[in-house]
Amino acid sequence: MKTTLLGFQHLLAMYAGAVLVPLIVGNAIGLTPTQLTYLVSIDILMCGIATILQISRNKYFGIGLPVVLGCTFTAVGPMILIGNDYGISAIYGAVIASGAIIFFISRFFGSLVKFFPPIVTGSVVTIIGLTLIPVAITNMGGGQGAEDFGSMINIGLSFGTLLFIILMFRFTTGFLQSIAILMGLVVGTVAAVMLGMVDFSNVQEASYVHIVTPFFLATPTFHLLPIVIMTLVAMVSLVESTGVYFALGDICEQEIDQKMLEKGYRAEGLASVIGGIFNAFPYTTFSQNVGLMQLSGVKSRRVVFVTAIMLISLGFLPKVAALATIIPPAVLGGAMVAMFGMVVSQGIKMLIPVISKTQDNAMIVACSVGLGLGVAAVPDLFQQLPKNVQILTNNGIVLGSIMAIFLNIIFNMIPSKKKQMAKLVNEAKAMPLSIKEGPSSVLVSTADHK
């Protein structure tokens, strides 16, 4: 019973993140209520399968630590862009392809990490978070094309939800704080029910049990730009996951070696491939569950396995998934502001230490974030360029990411005379006093001898 309760705690801690991703992406690309119910169901189920893949201990995949997996919010903006430009089938083609790429480069990713230092990953995460904010604001007003867009009821619901989340986050601690978003969604939806703004027909029509079907929503199609976008997102997620792996290793008092990292990366790649096949999402480690583990002191894989079984079981129950689809857009918008704002703050948190080191890093952030947001706001800037070039320039996330990687190579990886001289000066200052004063000591000793 204790193990079950602890597993349920982990389920609650990650549930809001698990259902928000399909709700946001599904609504943004125009899915029907039935399709949206399936998307929520399969995402919950795949979170459980991905978690089992990662906590497994075998010679091929799985880091073997008590970690819960879910869809990363850094993938939300890119998936919406891909879905609107290429269709839903391209999302799944990109998810499958990027997962396969991660699976096969897992052995070599350690050598690629040097191209994704905090200055690059922080810039990419910040760009993605900022490009998601307009989606949240649109939902706060009632959603794209809503007849009552910007009405006082929608504004009141969205800000009421956001205020509840803020107050709960401020005045609670531990587990309650970790489920602030989930509680905000529940309270906001209850308020909407009292205002007569919730339609329960989708819940009534949903079946009690369903069979999971590959390619239920769309058969994957493969396009170069979506694959490039999702591979960049996957690599950024791997860098973030690496930090979670080491944090878990410290909590569990287990040393993380290169082989474990490879198996961890491989599990995430495999989870994304399976997710794409069943029309779900790419999966990565959920840091909120690591925080809960640290808080409770329970670091058992068995507890996380119970969580995974619960997720898989819920994935076969469309009525449960349909409950998530009744959340009004205004309530979602209020929660999304907090969630996407946290993505931005995570990017800024990654950038602050490195920006303060040199002006070069400040320039990297300025140009990459500036271009990324600029192109997102004015997508027609490069319409006169050849089509092949537009693949890299018409998407703000791709352009900002490429710019961050390129500028990091220019400023931080290619040696310059100025930096070489500064390095020599720093090395000289760091030399022990006895070595620096060696010749003088010899002379003094000689004089004394005479």
Side-chain angles (χ1 to χ4, degrees), residues 212-229:
V212 175
T213 308
F215 313 127
F216 178 82
L217 295 175
T219 301
T221 56
F222 301 89
H223 304 273
L224 180 59
L225 179 58
I227 292 172
V228 170
I229 293 173

Side-chain angles (χ1 to χ4, degrees), residues 117-141:
I119 192 67
V120 172
T121 54
S123 297
V124 174
V125 171
T126 303
I127 293 168
I128 290 173
L130 289 172
T131 56
L132 285 171
I133 295 298
V135 178
I137 300 301
T138 300
N139 275 276
M140 288 182 79

Side-chain angles (χ1 to χ4, degrees), residues 31 48-49 71 77 82 126 153 204 295 305 347:
L31 295 186
I49 291 176
C71 181
I82 293 169
T126 303
I153 292 180
Q204 294 169 351
L295 177 73
F305 180 77

Side-chain angles (χ1 to χ4, degrees), residues 44-54 271 274 308 311-312:
I44 294 170
L45 184 146
M46 277 306 307
C47 285
I49 291 176
T51 298
I52 289 176
L53 291 176
Q54 193 62 285
I274 298 173
L311 288 166
I312 292 171

Side-chain angles (χ1 to χ4, degrees), residues 57 173 193 250:
R57 284 179 178 165
T173 57
V193 170
D250 186 56

